Amino acid sequence: MQMYEEMNQPSYTDGIAVDIGSMVEKVWKGMREYWMQLVLLIIVITGGIFAGLSFRYTPVYEAKATYVITKTGDAAVDALITGRLSASFASVLANSGLYEEIAAEYSSGTAKGIPGTIRVVNTPSSNMMSVTVQSDNYRNTNDIMEAFTKVYPAYASKSAGTVDMSLIDKKQATEAAVNPFPFWKNICMGILAGAAAGVVLLLISSFAKKTVHKDSDMKKIVNLDCLAYIPVVKDKKRSKHLNQQKLITNKRIPEGFKQSVYSAQLRIENRMKKEECQTLVVTGSVPQEGKTTFSVNLAAALAESGKNVVLVDGDLRNPSAASMLDLKGSAAGLAEILEGKQPLQEIILDKAPGFSVLCAGMAGGNISMGLTGEKMREILDYLKAHYDYVVIDTPPSAIFTDAAILSENVDAAVYMVRQDYADVKSVEEGVDLIANTGVKMLGYVLNCTHAGISDYGKYSYRYGRYAGYGKKYGISGKED
């Protein structure tokens, strides 16, 4: 029975409900994946905000003086006079010539202006007047205060009659500004602004980029089961090699990756037995989704379980299985067989007991035409007669028709979907193209998953019987 059901399946792009949980997971994944860019963004924004606030910062230096004003000796009357003098000071300073006299005293005879401010207030219900002078230079502040103390008492007597202004306290400005530069506050503001900008960008990206993040996203596209979640692998920096091969036989590859492959192998094998399938196509939507890595590891895992397996590199456009298995010296392969240049029996390589490889070879001319011919069917018939399972790695189905052409002559197909990578339209089109050939769609594998808020590692299974296979059979996990 066909496992792929297209009928009544809504298109993912017809309407997308905002999945807050999924967006948060995408933001978390983005933060982990692009943390260096986020740090750089925070540094740039912090530097910009710090520079801007530094440019706007003006230090303020302050001098203070306190006077007691006496006219009648009556405390209530003197307090009233003090209040009137304080309330009218701003108007007197601006309109009566007081400003010019203080400026002239400050600048030694020439009224060029006062580079600061003078503020006068009185203590409520008392005859005490407080004078505050502020400017951006502590020396100027003290000079303005000196000019004020020499000029203002005479103006006070003119305004309120003869009064006695007794200076009872005076505090000069020091080199310490009363508004210290908020260094750490500005740094923190910059960091917060940079972090907020990064989160906003990730939110915009996660909302705008319509990709497959989890199995519920795939359910909106097609009715396929998820066979396994394969976690992303980060190379352990224990060697000088830049690219560690992601093989289940590589001791440096995390157990989560290996056990996820075994989980997928077990499910795929069970379904192939149930459907009586021998040949399997592995494909995806676009390049870099991990189909070759999965194909190689699936074949190795099937061989570990005691099956006789052949891996066919059907990606004649960009072959890479031979490189993963350190078979670079093998030039001849499927292409030469299709062209009639080499016999099939002489080209198949025995990588390990139960694990054989048919490389891609050097293809030329019309690649797709070679895959449609009778020769390809003869190759598949031969492989089915001599092996328990045939695993075929193919080019991306949303870009090339090779995978669909091969699917017409095989029993089953597995679709690779890399988390948050290909847009859903490409996935939808790629799956449809393969399914419409009539091949049995066993399901899909969600690859390169990140353990975020929902830990994908919980889908992995442990099979102790697979340990030590690499040493026993000699499959290389060496890096290129």
Side-chain angles (χ1 to χ4, degrees):
M1 184 180 75
Q2 178 71 319
M3 299 186 69
Y4 174 84
E5 299 178 8
E6 188 177 15
M7 187 176 297
N8 298 324
Q9 286 297 312
S11 172
Y12 189 90
T13 53
D14 288 343
I16 302 175
V18 177
D19 187 342
I20 301 299
S22 179
M23 289 181 63
V24 171
E25 284 195 15
K26 287 183 179 181
V27 170
W28 174 249
K29 177 188 173 184
M31 291 174 66
R32 295 180 59 181
E33 186 172 354
Y34 301 108
W35 67 270
M36 290 187 66
Q37 291 87 336
L38 288 175
V39 170
L40 180 61
L41 177 66
I42 290 173
I43 291 174
V44 170
I45 292 180
T46 300
I49 290 178
F50 187 86
L53 293 177
S54 299
F55 181 77
R56 295 175 57 186
Y57 168 74
T58 301
V60 175
Y61 300 91
E62 185 176 86
K64 289 187 175 183
T66 302
Y67 290 90
V68 171
I69 297 178
T70 305
K71 179 177 176 63
T72 64
D74 186 301
V77 175
D78 290 343
L80 182 61
I81 294 172
T82 304
R84 289 176 179 174
L85 289 173
S86 300
S88 62
F89 178 79
S91 177
V92 170
L93 182 66
N95 302 313
S96 66
L98 175 60
Y99 181 90
E100 287 73 14
E101 287 200 33
I102 295 176
E105 181 65 29
Y106 164 78
S107 56
S108 302
T110 304
K112 296 180 180 180
I114 302 173
T117 61
I118 304 173
R119 182 167 56 92
V120 174
V121 296
N122 74 296
T123 303
S125 303
S126 75
N127 62 337
M128 296 180 63
M129 173 186 288
S130 297
V131 181
T132 302
V133 175
Q134 292 182 339
S135 77
D136 60 1
N137 183 286
Y138 80 96
R139 290 190 178 89
N140 293 343
T141 304
N142 292 327
D143 291 343
I144 294 171
M145 177 61 79
E146 289 298 324
F148 173 87
T149 57
K150 292 179 180 180
V151 172
Y152 183 69
Y155 265 81
S157 294
K158 290 180 184 179
S159 176
T162 302
V163 295
D164 178 36
M165 292 185 62
S166 301
L167 181 64
I168 62 172
D169 186 40
K170 187 177 182 181
K171 181 181 179 182
Q172 289 192 318
T174 65
E175 295 185 23
V178 295
N179 63 331
F181 180 70
F183 180 87
W184 290 111
K185 178 182 178 181
N186 292 349
I187 290 290
C188 291
M189 288 177 61
I191 292 174
L192 289 175
V199 171
V200 169
L201 289 175
L202 289 173
L203 281 171
I204 294 173
S205 175
S206 66
F207 184 76
K209 188 178 180 182
K210 299 177 179 64
T211 56
V212 174
H213 183 70
K214 52 188 177 181
D215 52 0
S216 60
D217 296 332
M218 278 296 287
K219 289 297 182 183
K220 298 174 184 177
I221 306 173
V222 292
N223 187 23
L224 289 178
D225 292 334
C226 182
L227 300 171
Y229 289 79
I230 308 295
V232 66
V233 174
K234 294 183 178 179
D235 295 344
K236 297 179 180 179
K237 307 300 181 181
R238 295 181 182 176
S239 70
K240 296 180 180 180
H241 297 285
L242 296 178
N243 297 312
Q244 286 189 330
Q245 296 298 354
K246 298 177 183 177
L247 294 172
I248 55 176
T249 53
N250 187 345
K251 292 182 179 180
R252 295 177 179 175
I253 296 301
E255 281 300 312
F257 174 85
K258 299 177 183 179
Q259 302 305 334
S260 296
V261 171
Y262 294 140
S263 173
Q265 171 257 314
L266 185 61
R267 293 185 180 186
I268 290 171
E269 186 176 356
N270 288 337
R271 295 195 179 196
M272 290 186 74
K273 287 180 179 178
K274 182 179 179 180
E275 299 292 335
E276 298 181 350
C277 300
Q278 275 186 273
T279 53
L280 174 71
V281 159
V282 178
T283 189
S285 304
V286 296
Q288 305 300 318
E289 291 202 90
K291 58 182 183 55
T292 300
T293 299
F294 182 75
S295 299
V296 172
N297 283 290
L298 174 61
L302 286 168
E304 289 186 34
S305 67
K307 301 300 185 294
N308 193 19
V309 183
V310 59
L311 171 67
V312 179
D313 191 345
D315 191 348
L316 304 181
R317 303 172 187 274
N318 184 31
S320 54
S323 175
M324 281 199 67
L325 295 169
D326 288 333
L327 299 173
K328 294 180 179 180
S330 303
L334 179 60
E336 284 71 24
I337 301 173
L338 292 173
E339 294 173 0
K341 296 179 180 180
Q342 294 282 351
L344 175 60
Q345 297 84 346
E346 296 180 5
I347 293 182
I348 296 178
L349 302 176
D350 293 327
K351 178 61 183 176
F355 186 12
S356 300
V357 181
L358 176 56
C359 298
M362 304 296 290
N366 193 323
I367 296 175
S368 299
M369 288 298 295
L371 298 175
T372 60
E374 182 64 30
K375 190 66 176 179
M376 188 67 216
R377 285 187 285 273
E378 292 176 1
I379 295 172
L380 291 174
D381 289 340
Y382 175 87
L383 296 177
K384 289 172 67 175
H386 290 81
Y387 297 92
D388 297 323
Y389 293 110
V390 181
V391 178
I392 308 173
D393 179 32
T394 66
S397 61
I399 299 177
F400 304 108
T401 59
D402 301 29
I405 292 172
L406 285 170
S407 296
E408 293 177 352
N409 296 313
V410 300
D411 302 324
V414 169
Y415 207 85
M416 296 297 297
V417 181
R418 181 173 175 177
Q419 187 185 49
D420 294 330
Y421 192 70
D423 62 87
V424 294
K425 192 65 177 177
S426 296
V427 177
E428 189 173 22
E429 291 175 353
V431 173
D432 285 345
L433 187 64
I434 300 301
N436 289 336
T437 65
V439 69
K440 293 181 176 65
M441 298 290 288
L442 301 184
Y444 71 94
V445 174
L446 190 60
N447 195 29
C448 294
T449 60
H450 288 255
I453 296 173
S454 297
D455 190 355
Y456 291 109
K458 65 184 179 181
Y459 294 95
S460 300
Y461 296 88
R462 298 186 180 276
Y463 300 96
R465 62 190 174 93
Y466 296 109
Y469 177 79
K471 288 185 178 179
K472 182 177 180 181
Y473 294 117
I475 296 179
S476 173
K478 187 170 60 175
E479 302 88 338
D480 283 333

